[in-house]
Amino acid sequence: MVSELGYGGFVAEVLSGLGVGLGDEVEVVRNGLRLRGFVMARYEYGAPDVLVLKLPNGYNIGVRIDASTQIRKLSSAVAPSFNPPPPAPPRENLPRVMIANTGGTIASRIDYRTGGVKPALTASDLVSIVPEIAEKANVSTEILMQVVSENMTPTHWTEIARKVDEFFRRGFDGVVITHGTDTMGYTAAALSFALQNPPAPVVLVGAQRSSDRPSSDAALNLLTAVEVAACAPFAEVVVAMHGWHGDDNVLIHRGTRVVKLHTSSRGAFQSINSSPLAVKTPQGLKLLTTSFHKRGENGYMFQPVFDERVMLVKFFPGMKPEALELLVERMGLRGVILEGTGLGHVASSFVPVLKSLREKGVFVGMTSQCRFGRVNMNVYENGRDLMRAGVIPLDNMLPETALVKLMWVLGKLGQKAAYEEVKNLMLTDICGEIGGRTGPQPLFTGEAEIV
Amino acid sequence: MYDKLGLKVGLEVHRQLDTKRKLFCDCPTEPAEGQVIKITRYLREAQSELGEVDPAALFESKKRKKIIYHINPANVCLVEMDEEPPHDLNPEAVETALQIAALLKATPVDEIHVMRKIVIDGSNTSGFQRTCIVALGGELVVDGKKIPIQTVTLEEDAAKIVSTSRGVVEYDLSRLGIPLIEVATAPVISSPQEAARVAQAIGNVLRATRKVKRGIGTVRQDLNVSISGGAVTEIKGVQELELIPLVVELEVKRQLHLLQVAEELRKRLGGQALPPPQYVEVTNVFQNTKSSMVRKKLETGGKAYAVKLVRFAGLLSKESVKGIRLGAELAGHAKAWAEVEGILHTDELPAYGITAEEVSMLREAVGADEQDAVVVVVDEETKALEALRAVYERAAQAVEGVPGETRAARPDGLTVYMRPRPGSARMYPETDIPPLPITHEYMEKILSNLPETLDQTAERLAKTYSLSSQLVQALIDEEKEELFEQIVRATSLPATVVAAALTETMRNLRREGYPVQNLSDQLLAEIFHSLASGLFSKEALPDILGWMSKNPGASIEDAVKSLGLSHVSSKELEKEVEELVQRHAAEAGDPRLVNRLMGDLMKKYRGKVDGKLLHNILVEKIEAVKQRS
């Protein structure tokens, strides 16, 4: 009981001696102060001899406990008994949307007693917290996994893809996948390759502000995602997230073209080298492009296998070519995506290593650290040398997307894939990830005005 | 008298700290000019695990407004925009809060835990205010009475409201995040005057740190007022100390009035509760109304709805003190919950162009007799119904007595309904900020470096500068003691001149309607420097101060020029006096000559030359003539 609270040492001894657990009311006398309060859980990084009390006015304070401190238990905690609201009556006339949870909390309730945040996982609980959802779609929910963003692996991508394929077969009109934001871009790219030309939209969605706060972006992002899944004219794997600081601009990005560009702000996700598919403002959903896979169009291909023997390597000034050689050898890599400088360069000292990798049949593709623009290795002599050594320039593909695509290409072609086959597929546009015209930098505005 | 009523007042004194940086980021705490970016946001109530929602939060969420934030990048960053996690607690603010705790003999907590207090009116971008208890207990002795201090709290100031209209509220984020210290007393204050004295005493403790902001909007006092049989009313935002006694007095009268009304209502209703409401559409009653107010509403698509309040006749407009009526209470609830402009009720009708005939049709429509009151709201249907619901609920409470509420103070001392009192289900930990331990060593350091209290300052000033205790007290009351010392140290001006100018002169100017708040400390210091360097005489000081207050941005030279106080050089002056005395050389022996000539000279030089200086020159010249003869 006490270990759950996160206390150790003397405080733990005292608490277990008194039989005190989370939320129990105690009285502590120390420094001439008589304090009543409820025992709270301890953060890992707090000092070891401090007890956290929630005072009757709601404030938490830390009280040092030593041999001179008097403490006694007043009453036991009353466990909160939350009765989830009754399920919303299904609206058969609305599109059916599956909300699949992979981790994180897109909607939650706060336990003010302990400060704990509990995710809303069932459809009815979700709808009770974001009731507007029920006006847009007839939603079902399913928990696929509880994995934080940075712990996602290609195995998880496969698992998610299989479930989405199943949802299609069960006849859902759209699928929403809630996902931690850190690696949402990678998962979006992976699902784009795994679920090509899908019959219905697959919308990844997350939140940059946790869902327990009144200001969370979760509800609006989720609501938009459900609306896109239910009604959008395009059927692609997309990401729906705020486009700016305000709550009046949600962008719908193509899964192979989107990256997280900010550590904390709402508008962290942006499309690179292509326009978002659409923008949602209070006026409605506005399409920003006409080239997309339409809802109901044929051509669905399900191919959920990824070969993990691939790495993304960022070049930096002074980087030793041996590092690349060592990586490929030790990790048994079948391919490498280089994130080079500018138009697509690594130091000329890499040429011998690259040549030997090419001879061994290891695919090496070049992308740029610049993020914006396309690589072009013809402009400088070094670029031409690198290409002669076997490096394949990957046009305007995002480094992350190139990595995911190479895993997918190698997974699809299998162990005996011929180098040329890999190369050809890497350069073929499969789901909007490569090529296309690059226009001037767009400025997306919603209702927000700049005075 | 207040003893008998069982008056209990608790105070919460809030004051901005004058730290370099805000509480949770590196933004400056000073106002700034510059271009503004606007963003739109919405807040949604955070739901409790128990399924319960805080009443105050529910109140705001029912209104779910569009919120527009004004962002000046000069003093707002992503932290205030809720786009970046808060940084650690500002050490300068924590140190100041602990100094205040020590001066109040409060016990610091062993570890500071920052909490999130749910506030969803939009004044905090995150939807909560970050706040933490720094110390508990402590006391203050005011007029020989011990006033227990409950808590010393450090929190982030909220954003300042710019404008509000139906469905939209705009805030400026410049103020958000400025450290705010809050000192809360136990509810032991037993008279209106005592409340003001305690507030002032707390203010003096805060000011002893020399780390508090001054001026309009930097101080806010909240009052918790109750009397026996009444309820605790939380009155927010009393800015001036002088207003406190009036606010308390009027709140006592308001509660007494409501108790009287409740008694009368219980008698009339024979102990029964108010019958359930029926909201009736009465638009057709006003079909051909002469009331332009009602007609305008109806023409723009509004509808009229009415509710009958059984046996309320006469009680809505019954007024024991001007402005205190049950009708005003009902209107306050209608405005706050439904954002309607107001209500109409039969106690004040016929009026506003509404005829007696319409009133009787109205009564008939809701089935009311002469003993009942009828309340009407004309607005969009949903707003009108929402407003009437609020009216009925408040009316039902009127039978019970005084409801506990949060109210806002007005400049005239009366209060208006803001929202229900918040419950405790609105606080949870700010997990983005690790708890901050307060070590014994750190407290020792603070205790051994405590600042001079204002009492000590007063004593020292009186002694060092030979000032009367009255003048010193005036300096302290006007919060000018620091500026005074700064000026006196930097110039050769006599201390009494500076002290009198900073207190009496300023007070006189304020009374005469000069906007002396425009005179910043920096500007005042400059004015005194100019005086010391002889740019104008001390007789001209009040005129200069007055002119400068009315002409913000102008230079002191402009003031001198525009007031016709142009400079007379001492050489010129000596020459002129010399010539004058020469002309009267024959009378040099006459002792009355000095006064006579002085009178002539002052006619010409009043305000331009220091009278004392002129007198000295004159005496000197006459003596010289006498010597020669």
Side-chain angles (χ1 to χ4, degrees), chain B residues 333-352:
Chain B
H333 278 247
K335 287 179 195 171
W337 284 92
E339 296 182 74
V340 295
E341 276 162 41
I343 61 172
L344 295 164
H345 58 79
T346 44
D347 274 9
E348 52 178 14
L349 297 177
Y352 314 116

Side-chain angles (χ1 to χ4, degrees), chain B residues 354-367:
Chain B
I354 293 167
T355 62
E357 193 189 346
E358 283 168 326
V359 174
S360 61
M361 277 161 70
L362 179 64
R363 284 192 180 278
E364 198 177 318
V366 298

Side-chain angles (χ1 to χ4, degrees), chain A residues 59, chain B residues 9-14 54 56 59-60 117-119 121 123-124 129 131 153 155-158 175 180-184 217 219-225 232-240 243-244 247-248 251 254 404-423 426-427:
Chain A
Y59 279 92
Chain B
V9 182
L11 272 179
E12 279 176 25
V13 177
H14 302 85
D54 181 74
F59 168 76
E60 294 298 343
K117 186 196 277 182
I118 297 286
V119 179
D121 61 4
S123 59
N124 286 77
Q129 181 186 33
T131 172
T153 311
E155 53 194 30
E156 53 182 355
D157 203 350
R175 202 179 70 187
L180 201 61
I181 192 89
E182 182 205 280
V183 174
V219 189
R220 291 195 294 280
Q221 277 110 182
D222 295 351
L223 309 166
N224 296 312
V225 184
V232 179
T233 302
E234 205 178 307
I235 299 169
K236 293 272 180 202
V238 184
Q239 298 213 358
E240 289 89 21
L243 199 57
I244 292 177
V247 171
V248 174
E251 176 56 22
R254 191 184 71 92
E405 296 177 339
T406 303
R407 300 177 68 85
R410 295 197 319 200
D412 64 359
L414 287 168
T415 58
V416 286
Y417 175 76
M418 275 176 85
R419 52 174 185 256
R421 290 198 70 201
R426 65 191 296 225
M427 288 251 226

Side-chain angles (χ1 to χ4, degrees), chain A residues 4 173 208 230 239 265 267 273 318-319 352 400 451:
Chain A
E4 271 173 25
D173 298 302
Q208 285 283 86
V239 166
S265 107
N273 295 332
M319 184 182 186
E400 295 90 332
V451 177

